[in-house]
Amino acid sequence: MGEVTVNTEWLSDCSGCHVAIVDLHEKILNVLAAVKIQRCPVLTDVKDYPKARVGLVSGAIRNVHDREAALKMRESCDIVIAWGSCAVFGGPAGAGNIHTPEEIATAVYLENKTTTPAPPPSRQVSPLESKVTPLDTVIYVDFYLPGCPPHPLFVFEALSALVEGREPETAKRSVCAKCKRKMEKTEVAELKSNFEGIPDPERCFLSQGYTCLGSVTIDRCLAPCPSNGVPCTGCAGATMQVLTEPNRDIRTEIAERMSRLTRIDREEIVRSLERSAKSHYSYTMATSMIGEKPTFLIKRWIEDEEADYEAGGR
Ligand code: SF4
Ligand code: SF4
Ligand code: SF4
Protein backbone atom coordinates (compact mmCIF):
# COMPACT_ATOMS: atom_id res chain seq x y z
CA MET A 1 0.00 0.00 0.00
CA GLY A 2 1.36 3.46 -0.90
CA GLU A 3 1.46 6.57 1.20
CA VAL A 4 -1.76 7.10 3.15
CA THR A 5 -3.20 10.60 2.89
CA VAL A 6 -4.86 11.93 6.05
CA ASN A 7 -7.18 14.85 6.76
CA THR A 8 -8.15 15.79 10.29
CA GLU A 9 -10.87 18.09 11.56
CA TRP A 10 -12.01 19.18 14.99
CA LEU A 11 -15.58 20.03 15.74
CA SER A 12 -16.80 21.19 19.17
CA ASP A 13 -14.11 19.94 21.49
CA CYS A 14 -11.20 20.91 23.74
CA SER A 15 -8.45 20.16 21.18
CA GLY A 16 -7.00 17.45 23.45
CA CYS A 17 -7.52 14.78 20.81
CA HIS A 18 -5.37 16.69 18.33
CA VAL A 19 -2.72 17.27 20.99
CA ALA A 20 -2.71 13.48 21.46
CA ILE A 21 -0.91 13.22 18.10
CA VAL A 22 2.09 14.92 19.73
CA ASP A 23 1.79 12.46 22.61
CA LEU A 24 2.98 9.77 20.21
CA HIS A 25 6.51 11.14 20.91
CA GLU A 26 9.11 9.39 18.77
CA LYS A 27 6.48 7.04 17.37
CA ILE A 28 5.09 9.98 15.44
CA LEU A 29 8.13 9.60 13.16
CA ASN A 30 6.97 6.10 12.21
CA VAL A 31 3.53 7.50 11.49
CA LEU A 32 4.79 10.50 9.54
CA ALA A 33 7.02 8.24 7.43
CA ALA A 34 3.96 6.33 6.30
CA VAL A 35 1.24 8.97 6.11
CA LYS A 36 0.91 12.34 4.48
CA ILE A 37 -1.02 14.73 6.71
CA GLN A 38 -2.70 17.14 4.32
CA ARG A 39 -5.15 18.97 6.48
CA CYS A 40 -4.84 19.26 10.25
CA PRO A 41 -5.98 22.33 12.20
CA VAL A 42 -2.98 22.18 14.59
CA LEU A 43 -0.31 21.46 11.98
CA THR A 44 -1.31 22.95 8.64
CA ASP A 45 -2.99 26.11 7.43
CA VAL A 46 -5.19 24.28 4.93
CA LYS A 47 -8.80 25.39 5.08
CA ASP A 48 -10.30 23.24 2.32
CA TYR A 49 -10.76 19.48 2.23
CA PRO A 50 -8.43 17.72 -0.25
CA LYS A 51 -9.26 14.11 -1.17
CA ALA A 52 -7.79 11.76 1.43
CA ARG A 53 -7.74 8.07 2.26
CA VAL A 54 -8.33 8.58 6.00
CA GLY A 55 -10.22 11.28 7.92
CA LEU A 56 -9.84 11.70 11.68
CA VAL A 57 -12.69 13.72 13.17
CA SER A 58 -12.64 14.82 16.81
CA GLY A 59 -15.40 16.67 18.64
CA ALA A 60 -19.16 16.62 18.92
CA ILE A 61 -21.83 18.14 16.69
CA ARG A 62 -22.81 21.26 18.66
CA ASN A 63 -23.38 23.94 15.99
CA VAL A 64 -24.07 24.44 12.30
CA HIS A 65 -20.35 24.71 11.50
CA ASP A 66 -19.74 21.25 13.03
CA ARG A 67 -22.42 19.72 10.83
CA GLU A 68 -21.02 21.26 7.63
CA ALA A 69 -17.42 20.37 8.49
CA ALA A 70 -18.43 16.76 9.23
CA LEU A 71 -20.16 16.49 5.84
CA LYS A 72 -17.09 17.90 4.07
CA MET A 73 -14.86 15.34 5.83
CA ARG A 74 -17.18 12.52 4.73
CA GLU A 75 -17.16 13.74 1.13
CA SER A 76 -13.37 14.06 1.02
CA CYS A 77 -12.25 10.93 2.93
CA ASP A 78 -12.61 7.25 2.02
CA ILE A 79 -12.47 6.16 5.67
CA VAL A 80 -13.74 8.30 8.55
CA ILE A 81 -12.70 7.62 12.15
CA ALA A 82 -14.63 9.15 15.04
CA TRP A 83 -11.65 10.13 17.14
CA GLY A 84 -12.09 10.56 20.88
CA SER A 85 -15.05 10.40 23.23
CA CYS A 86 -16.56 13.69 21.99
CA ALA A 87 -16.86 12.38 18.43
CA VAL A 88 -17.93 8.88 19.49
CA PHE A 89 -20.39 9.73 22.29
CA GLY A 90 -20.77 13.52 22.34
CA GLY A 91 -18.31 13.85 25.25
CA PRO A 92 -18.50 16.39 28.06
CA ALA A 93 -20.31 18.89 25.82
CA GLY A 94 -23.26 16.45 25.96
CA ALA A 95 -24.05 17.75 29.45
CA GLY A 96 -25.37 20.80 27.58
CA ASN A 97 -28.36 18.67 26.54
CA ILE A 98 -29.78 19.16 30.01
CA HIS A 99 -30.42 22.78 29.01
CA THR A 100 -31.81 24.59 25.97
CA PRO A 101 -29.44 26.74 23.85
CA GLU A 102 -31.29 29.80 25.19
CA GLU A 103 -30.65 28.77 28.80
CA ILE A 104 -26.98 28.21 28.01
CA ALA A 105 -26.64 31.60 26.29
CA THR A 106 -28.29 33.31 29.27
CA ALA A 107 -26.07 31.56 31.82
CA VAL A 108 -22.86 32.18 29.84
CA TYR A 109 -23.48 35.74 28.70
CA LEU A 110 -26.35 37.59 30.37
CA GLU A 111 -26.14 36.12 33.86
CA ASN A 112 -22.52 35.10 34.04
CA LYS A 113 -21.53 35.36 37.69
CA THR A 114 -17.80 35.81 37.10
CA THR A 115 -17.61 38.31 34.20
CA THR A 116 -19.42 41.45 33.14
CA PRO A 117 -22.79 40.37 31.68
CA ALA A 118 -23.07 40.94 27.92
CA PRO A 119 -25.52 39.97 25.18
CA PRO A 120 -24.63 36.75 23.30
CA PRO A 121 -22.71 37.40 20.04
CA SER A 122 -25.03 37.59 17.07
CA ARG A 123 -22.50 37.72 14.22
CA GLN A 124 -19.64 35.47 13.06
CA VAL A 125 -20.64 32.75 15.52
CA SER A 126 -22.14 29.54 14.25
CA PRO A 127 -25.65 29.03 15.72
CA LEU A 128 -26.00 26.25 18.30
CA GLU A 129 -28.03 23.21 17.30
CA SER A 130 -30.83 22.28 19.69
CA LYS A 131 -28.88 19.23 20.98
CA VAL A 132 -25.29 18.02 21.17
CA THR A 133 -24.96 14.76 19.23
CA PRO A 134 -22.15 12.32 18.34
CA LEU A 135 -20.56 12.42 14.89
CA ASP A 136 -22.46 9.42 13.54
CA THR A 137 -25.77 11.23 13.81
CA VAL A 138 -24.63 13.37 10.87
CA ILE A 139 -22.32 11.16 8.79
CA TYR A 140 -21.50 7.49 8.39
CA VAL A 141 -18.50 6.54 10.56
CA ASP A 142 -16.23 3.64 9.60
CA PHE A 143 -14.32 3.23 12.87
CA TYR A 144 -14.64 4.47 16.45
CA LEU A 145 -11.67 5.37 18.62
CA PRO A 146 -13.01 6.50 22.03
CA GLY A 147 -10.86 7.96 24.82
CA CYS A 148 -10.46 11.43 26.28
CA PRO A 149 -8.16 11.69 24.49
CA PRO A 150 -7.43 8.23 23.07
CA HIS A 151 -4.27 6.75 24.61
CA PRO A 152 -1.19 7.11 22.33
CA LEU A 153 -0.92 3.31 22.15
CA PHE A 154 -4.36 3.04 20.58
CA VAL A 155 -3.84 6.07 18.32
CA PHE A 156 -0.65 4.44 17.05
CA GLU A 157 -2.36 1.07 16.64
CA ALA A 158 -5.25 2.63 14.70
CA LEU A 159 -2.97 4.61 12.38
CA SER A 160 -0.65 1.60 11.89
CA ALA A 161 -3.61 -0.63 11.07
CA LEU A 162 -4.82 1.77 8.42
CA VAL A 163 -1.34 2.14 6.93
CA GLU A 164 -1.08 -1.67 6.80
CA GLY A 165 -4.54 -2.00 5.29
CA ARG A 166 -6.09 -3.94 8.20
CA GLU A 167 -8.91 -3.11 10.59
CA PRO A 168 -7.85 -1.52 13.92
CA GLU A 169 -8.20 -3.76 16.99
CA THR A 170 -11.31 -3.11 19.04
CA ALA A 171 -11.40 -2.98 22.85
CA LYS A 172 -13.66 -5.56 24.45
CA ARG A 173 -12.68 -5.34 28.11
CA SER A 174 -13.33 -2.84 30.83
CA VAL A 175 -10.76 -0.66 32.63
CA CYS A 176 -10.77 -3.21 35.49
CA ALA A 177 -8.95 -5.66 33.19
CA LYS A 178 -5.83 -3.51 33.42
CA CYS A 179 -6.26 -2.38 37.03
CA LYS A 180 -4.20 -4.17 39.67
CA ARG A 181 -6.41 -3.28 42.63
CA LYS A 182 -8.17 -6.24 44.28
CA MET A 183 -11.96 -6.42 44.44
CA GLU A 184 -12.70 -7.98 47.82
CA LYS A 185 -15.54 -8.04 50.28
CA THR A 186 -15.26 -5.53 53.13
CA GLU A 187 -17.29 -4.26 56.09
CA VAL A 188 -17.33 -0.70 54.70
CA ALA A 189 -20.76 0.78 55.45
CA GLU A 190 -20.57 4.34 54.07
CA LEU A 191 -20.13 5.91 50.67
CA LYS A 192 -17.10 8.20 50.43
CA SER A 193 -16.38 11.22 48.30
CA ASN A 194 -13.20 10.97 46.30
CA PHE A 195 -11.49 13.63 48.42
CA GLU A 196 -12.23 11.84 51.74
CA GLY A 197 -9.56 9.85 53.53
CA ILE A 198 -6.61 8.02 52.02
CA PRO A 199 -7.67 5.01 49.94
CA ASP A 200 -5.84 1.69 50.33
CA PRO A 201 -3.64 1.52 47.19
CA GLU A 202 -4.04 -2.25 46.83
CA ARG A 203 -7.80 -2.51 47.15
CA CYS A 204 -10.53 -1.77 44.57
CA PHE A 205 -12.14 1.61 45.15
CA LEU A 206 -15.60 0.03 45.14
CA SER A 207 -14.59 -2.22 48.06
CA GLN A 208 -13.70 0.97 49.97
CA GLY A 209 -16.94 2.85 49.23
CA TYR A 210 -15.49 5.15 46.57
CA THR A 211 -17.26 5.48 43.21
CA CYS A 212 -15.05 4.15 40.42
CA LEU A 213 -16.51 3.68 36.94
CA GLY A 214 -13.77 1.30 35.76
CA SER A 215 -16.08 -1.73 35.54
CA VAL A 216 -18.54 0.04 33.20
CA THR A 217 -15.90 1.82 31.09
CA ILE A 218 -14.22 0.46 28.00
CA ASP A 219 -10.45 -0.01 28.30
CA ARG A 220 -8.87 2.54 25.96
CA CYS A 221 -6.28 3.79 28.40
CA LEU A 222 -4.57 0.95 30.33
CA ALA A 223 -6.12 2.15 33.63
CA PRO A 224 -3.83 5.09 34.49
CA CYS A 225 -6.24 6.64 37.01
CA PRO A 226 -6.82 3.73 39.43
CA SER A 227 -3.12 2.84 39.05
CA ASN A 228 -2.26 6.31 40.36
CA GLY A 229 -4.74 6.56 43.20
CA VAL A 230 -7.65 8.19 41.37
CA PRO A 231 -10.99 6.48 40.65
CA CYS A 232 -11.99 6.14 36.98
CA THR A 233 -14.53 8.74 35.84
CA GLY A 234 -15.41 6.87 32.66
CA CYS A 235 -13.82 9.22 30.14
CA ALA A 236 -13.40 6.54 27.46
CA GLY A 237 -17.14 5.85 27.47
CA ALA A 238 -19.29 2.94 28.54
CA THR A 239 -18.59 -0.72 27.74
CA MET A 240 -20.55 -2.34 24.91
CA GLN A 241 -22.46 -4.33 27.53
CA VAL A 242 -23.79 -1.16 29.14
CA LEU A 243 -24.40 0.52 25.78
CA THR A 244 -26.22 -2.31 24.04
CA GLU A 245 -28.10 -4.24 26.73
CA PRO A 246 -31.34 -2.43 27.54
CA ASN A 247 -31.50 -3.49 31.19
CA ARG A 248 -27.94 -2.44 32.02
CA ASP A 249 -26.98 1.04 33.08
CA ILE A 250 -24.01 2.80 34.67
CA ARG A 251 -25.69 3.48 38.01
CA THR A 252 -27.32 0.08 38.43
CA GLU A 253 -24.15 -1.82 37.44
CA ILE A 254 -21.97 0.15 39.88
CA ALA A 255 -24.56 -0.11 42.65
CA GLU A 256 -24.89 -3.86 42.13
CA ARG A 257 -21.14 -4.39 42.30
CA MET A 258 -20.42 -2.06 45.21
CA SER A 259 -23.30 -3.37 47.32
CA ARG A 260 -21.98 -6.92 46.89
CA LEU A 261 -18.47 -5.83 47.92
CA THR A 262 -19.49 -3.69 50.92
CA ARG A 263 -22.33 -3.30 53.42
CA ILE A 264 -23.64 -0.19 51.65
CA ASP A 265 -27.27 -0.43 50.58
CA ARG A 266 -27.76 -0.76 46.81
CA GLU A 267 -30.50 1.86 46.65
CA GLU A 268 -28.35 4.37 48.52
CA ILE A 269 -25.63 3.93 45.89
CA VAL A 270 -28.14 4.30 43.04
CA ARG A 271 -29.46 7.53 44.55
CA SER A 272 -25.97 8.89 45.07
CA LEU A 273 -25.07 8.23 41.43
CA GLU A 274 -28.29 9.87 40.26
CA ARG A 275 -27.50 12.96 42.33
CA SER A 276 -24.17 13.31 40.55
CA ALA A 277 -25.42 12.22 37.14
CA LYS A 278 -23.96 15.24 35.39
CA SER A 279 -20.49 13.92 36.27
CA HIS A 280 -21.04 10.20 35.98
CA TYR A 281 -22.84 10.31 32.64
CA SER A 282 -21.01 13.31 31.25
CA TYR A 283 -19.01 11.54 28.56
CA THR A 284 -21.85 9.52 27.08
CA MET A 285 -24.96 11.52 27.85
CA ALA A 286 -25.39 12.73 24.26
CA THR A 287 -25.46 9.28 22.72
CA SER A 288 -28.91 7.80 22.17
CA MET A 289 -27.57 4.48 23.45
CA ILE A 290 -27.40 6.04 26.92
CA GLY A 291 -29.98 8.80 26.55
CA GLU A 292 -32.76 6.39 25.56
CA LYS A 293 -32.14 3.87 28.30
CA PRO A 294 -33.71 4.20 31.75
CA THR A 295 -31.30 7.10 31.97
CA PHE A 296 -33.68 9.30 30.01
CA LEU A 297 -34.36 10.33 33.58
CA ILE A 298 -30.92 11.97 33.75
CA LYS A 299 -32.46 15.37 33.08
CA ARG A 300 -34.89 14.94 35.96
CA TRP A 301 -32.19 13.75 38.39
CA ILE A 302 -30.06 16.75 37.55
CA GLU A 303 -32.97 19.20 37.77
CA ASP A 304 -33.91 17.77 41.18
CA GLU A 305 -30.32 18.05 42.41
CA GLU A 306 -29.97 21.61 41.08
CA ALA A 307 -33.28 22.59 42.74
CA ASP A 308 -32.03 21.14 46.07
CA TYR A 309 -28.79 23.04 45.59
CA GLU A 310 -30.59 26.33 45.01
CA ALA A 311 -32.98 25.70 47.91
CA GLY A 312 -30.06 25.05 50.23
CA GLY A 313 -28.51 28.34 49.13
CA ARG A 314 -25.27 26.48 48.30
S1 SF4 B 1 -12.47 13.49 23.76
FE1 SF4 B 1 -11.61 14.56 25.55
S2 SF4 B 1 -9.60 15.22 24.83
FE2 SF4 B 1 -10.77 14.70 23.01
S3 SF4 B 1 -11.67 16.64 22.39
FE3 SF4 B 1 -13.18 15.60 23.69
S4 SF4 B 1 -12.84 16.46 25.74
FE4 SF4 B 1 -11.01 16.92 24.51
S1 SF4 C 1 -13.65 -0.72 39.83
FE1 SF4 C 1 -11.93 0.73 39.63
S2 SF4 C 1 -10.55 0.27 41.29
FE2 SF4 C 1 -11.94 -1.45 41.11
S3 SF4 C 1 -10.86 -2.91 39.80
FE3 SF4 C 1 -12.16 -1.67 38.47
S4 SF4 C 1 -10.86 0.03 37.80
FE4 SF4 C 1 -9.86 -0.91 39.56
S1 SF4 D 1 -9.01 5.17 33.92
FE1 SF4 D 1 -11.05 5.94 33.42
S2 SF4 D 1 -10.93 8.17 33.71
FE2 SF4 D 1 -8.83 7.38 33.65
S3 SF4 D 1 -8.22 7.60 31.50
FE3 SF4 D 1 -9.06 5.54 31.72
S4 SF4 D 1 -11.23 5.69 31.19
FE4 SF4 D 1 -10.45 7.77 31.57
Side-chain angles (χ1 to χ4, degrees):
M1 160 169 287
E3 190 178 49
V4 175
T5 47
V6 175
N7 287 353
T8 79
E9 176 61 296
W10 70 27
L11 310 179
S12 286
D13 72 27
C14 80
S15 78
C17 283
H18 272 73
V19 173
I21 296 178
V22 184
D23 249 2
L24 289 172
H25 299 292
E26 70 279 0
K27 279 190 170 174
I28 197 170
L29 298 176
N30 303 30
V31 172
L32 291 177
V35 305
K36 180 179 176 199
I37 297 180
Q38 307 181 128
R39 176 192 203 288
C40 176
V42 290
L43 294 176
T44 64
D45 187 22
V46 175
K47 302 282 192 292
D48 58 0
Y49 297 82
K51 285 299 284 178
R53 174 95 180 109
V54 177
L56 299 173
V57 184
S58 67
I61 306 292
R62 164 82 280 197
N63 57 37
V64 174
H65 163 268
D66 296 334
R67 181 175 290 274
E68 289 174 5
L71 289 169
K72 288 208 161 69
M73 284 294 282
R74 185 68 269 181
E75 280 164 21
S76 62
C77 304
D78 297 336
I79 297 169
V80 169
I81 303 179
W83 184 20
S85 296
C86 289
V88 176
F89 302 113
N97 286 353
I98 302 301
H99 308 281
T100 64
E102 293 71 29
E103 286 168 349
I104 293 170
T106 301
V108 171
Y109 293 98
L110 294 172
E111 294 175 6
N112 191 313
K113 294 186 170 69
T114 56
T115 60
T116 310
S122 55
R123 291 186 306 137
Q124 298 177 325
V125 176
S126 184
L128 294 187
E129 300 223 327
S130 60
K131 292 268 177 219
V132 176
T133 54
L135 181 64
D136 65 3
T137 58
V138 172
I139 60 170
Y140 178 77
V141 167
D142 298 280
F143 297 110
Y144 296 84
L145 187 58
C148 182
H151 188 285
L153 184 81
F154 296 105
V155 175
F156 184 69
E157 148 57 22
L159 293 176
S160 304
L162 292 169
V163 167
E164 292 160 15
R166 60 181 169 84
E167 288 201 1
E169 282 175 23
T170 51
K172 297 184 182 68
R173 295 181 302 186
S174 74
V175 170
C176 296
K178 294 286 175 188
C179 175
K180 300 217 167 14
R181 289 171 177 268
K182 286 197 197 76
M183 273 190 188
E184 50 198 6
K185 195 146 176 50
T186 66
E187 292 301 306
V188 169
E190 282 185 358
L191 279 168
K192 293 193 193 76
S193 297
N194 290 352
F195 53 81
E196 273 182 76
I198 301 175
D200 179 336
E202 310 291 331
R203 191 174 262 177
C204 171
F205 283 115
L206 298 180
S207 300
Q208 304 181 63
Y210 294 101
T211 302
C212 177
L213 299 193
S215 61
V216 288
T217 302
I218 197 159
D219 169 36
R220 295 273 80 186
C221 60
L222 312 179
C225 301
S227 307
N228 289 288
V230 182
C232 171
T233 56
C235 79
T239 56
M240 286 311 286
Q241 195 181 43
V242 169
L243 289 173
T244 57
E245 294 191 20
N247 59 343
R248 289 184 185 268
D249 174 47
I250 292 173
R251 77 198 198 293
T252 50
E253 290 288 301
I254 295 292
E256 188 67 43
R257 208 159 279 125
M258 194 195 277
S259 62
R260 273 193 270 116
L261 291 168
T262 64
R263 289 177 43 224
I264 308 169
D265 179 60
R266 184 184 178 283
E267 284 311 306
E268 184 188 342
I269 304 167
V270 168
R271 278 197 303 280
S272 158
L273 290 166
E274 289 177 359
R275 281 200 301 273
S276 43
K278 220 171 190 172
S279 302
H280 295 313
Y281 288 86
S282 59
Y283 294 95
T284 44
M285 209 184 283
T287 173
S288 60
M289 286 187 286
I290 287 286
E292 289 172 12
K293 287 161 83 78
T295 44
F296 63 84
L297 294 167
I298 289 173
K299 190 166 172 12
R300 202 177 79 200
W301 302 332
I302 293 173
E303 281 169 353
D304 288 350
E305 176 60 10
E306 288 183 351
D308 284 353
Y309 187 86
E310 291 295 329
R314 287 175 283 167

